[in-house]
Amino acid sequence: PIEIVEDDTPPPQATRADESAPDSNLNKKPIIEEISASATAGAPKSFQKAKEERETRTTRIIGGGIFKKDGSNSDSIFKPRVVVDVTDNPVLSSTLKRTTADVEQNSKPPTNSFEFQRRWNASSDAHQKWTTLHSLSPESLPSFFKSSLEPSLIGSILEVILHMVTSGSVDAAEAARYLKGLGQIPRFNALVLFLDPKEKASATRLLQMVREQVGWTV
């Protein structure tokens, strides 16, 4: 026969600590409410305050994305990036103004060969030097330089043109126009004889790259 035995052990009683402990899920804020609260935390109380904060802020973070249910967001559409307002930074603002002024100055044609050489020597890279040269038309080079061009300046000009062509900043046809203009300067064929070996190598390579007769050789 089957004998049914009842368990005489009394069921566990709830402790006072269990009764007083609140359910964490009951007090948890809805996700939408959390997102709303985090989005408005620290927000300006008026449009005037928002305008004042926007005008006085020198570093801004711009971007965008999609808010998700779990409170996270995706920045895959507009990845946030920091934007610095250089107008409120004396060092950056001064550098920007100086760079802009240098570009504008070099893009204006020099009045004579002395000013050309001064700008040329003051330029820190090939692009600035090319801007100075490009401010003059190729056809104006003979009358502009006349007999004031020195072999050292010729060598430097040829090396800059070579750099601009090899870097892809200037095409071969544009370079050929300036090489033809240089070749029409008085005594140019005699001046190129005084180029140093490095400058002659640059001139030879440049002439090979343009693949066009420019009226002179080395």
Side-chain angles (χ1 to χ4, degrees), residues 42-54:
K45 297 181 179 180
S46 66
F47 287 107
Q48 181 63 28
K49 290 290 186 181
K51 181 180 178 182
E52 292 175 358
E53 289 186 7
R54 184 172 63 252

Side-chain angles (χ1 to χ4, degrees), residues 2 12 29 34 58-59 71 83 92 96 99 125 128 141-142 150-152 159 171 175 184 197 199-200:
I2 300 174
K29 293 182 179 180
E34 289 183 356
T58 59
T59 302
V83 179
L92 293 178
L96 179 61
T99 302
D125 57 41
Q128 291 183 3
L141 297 181
E150 297 294 330
S152 59
E159 289 181 339
D171 59 31
Q184 296 173 5
E199 293 167 342
K200 286 184 178 180

Side-chain angles (χ1 to χ4, degrees), residues 158-176:
L158 295 177
E159 289 181 339
V160 166
I161 297 177
L162 175 62
H163 174 83
M164 299 301 291
V165 174
T166 55
S167 65
S169 302
V170 174
D171 59 31
E174 180 76 357

Side-chain angles (χ1 to χ4, degrees), residues 7-155:
D7 187 2
D8 296 332
T9 304
Q13 300 295 323
T15 63
R16 184 176 300 275
D18 294 334
E19 293 176 353
S20 60
D23 188 351
S24 59
N25 292 327
L26 294 177
N27 294 331
K28 188 175 182 180
K29 293 182 179 180
I31 294 175
I32 299 300
E33 185 178 345
E34 289 183 356
I35 296 175
S36 177
S38 62
T40 57
K45 297 181 179 180
S46 66
F47 287 107
Q48 181 63 28
K49 290 290 186 181
K51 181 180 178 182
E52 292 175 358
E53 289 186 7
R54 184 172 63 252
E55 291 177 348
T56 56
R57 190 184 305 133
T58 59
T59 302
R60 301 177 177 87
I61 299 179
I62 61 175
I66 301 175
F67 284 101
K68 299 179 180 179
K69 290 183 178 180
D70 60 0
S72 62
N73 63 77
S74 171
D75 60 358
S76 58
I77 297 180
F78 305 105
K79 189 171 184 179
R81 62 186 188 275
V82 176
V83 179
V84 179
D85 188 356
V86 299
T87 57
D88 293 330
N89 187 309
V91 176
L92 293 178
S93 179
S94 176
T95 302
L96 179 61
K97 290 179 181 179
R98 186 169 61 253
T99 302
T100 304
D102 290 342
V103 172
E104 293 177 351
Q105 178 66 25
N106 289 344
S107 62
K108 297 178 181 179
T111 55
N112 51 53
S113 60
F114 176 79
E115 183 182 349
F116 177 93
Q117 189 159 357
R118 181 185 61 80
R119 283 196 205 173
W120 188 270
N121 294 334
S123 299
S124 58
D125 57 41
H127 288 271
Q128 291 183 3
K129 292 180 185 294
W130 169 256
T131 301
T132 298
L133 178 63
H134 196 253
S135 66
L136 300 169
S137 67
E139 296 76 18
S140 68
L141 297 181
S143 59
F144 180 82
F145 285 108
K146 298 179 181 178
S147 59
S148 61
L149 202 58
E150 297 294 330
S152 59
L153 183 55
I154 293 176

Side-chain angles (χ1 to χ4, degrees), residues 151-163 165-166 175-176 178-180 182-183 188-189 191-218:
S152 59
L153 183 55
I154 293 176
S156 180
I157 291 175
L158 295 177
E159 289 181 339
V160 166
I161 297 177
L162 175 62
H163 174 83
V165 174
T166 55
Y178 278 89
L179 294 179
K180 289 179 181 178
L182 289 171
F188 185 84
N189 287 323
L191 292 173
V192 294
L193 297 176
F194 295 94
L195 298 178
D196 63 34
K198 180 183 176 182
E199 293 167 342
K200 286 184 178 180
S202 297
T204 301
R205 186 183 176 192
L206 184 57
L207 293 174
Q208 292 172 347
M209 293 184 69
V210 299
R211 297 180 181 180
E212 190 174 338
Q213 296 295 325
V214 296
W216 58 273
T217 184
V218 291

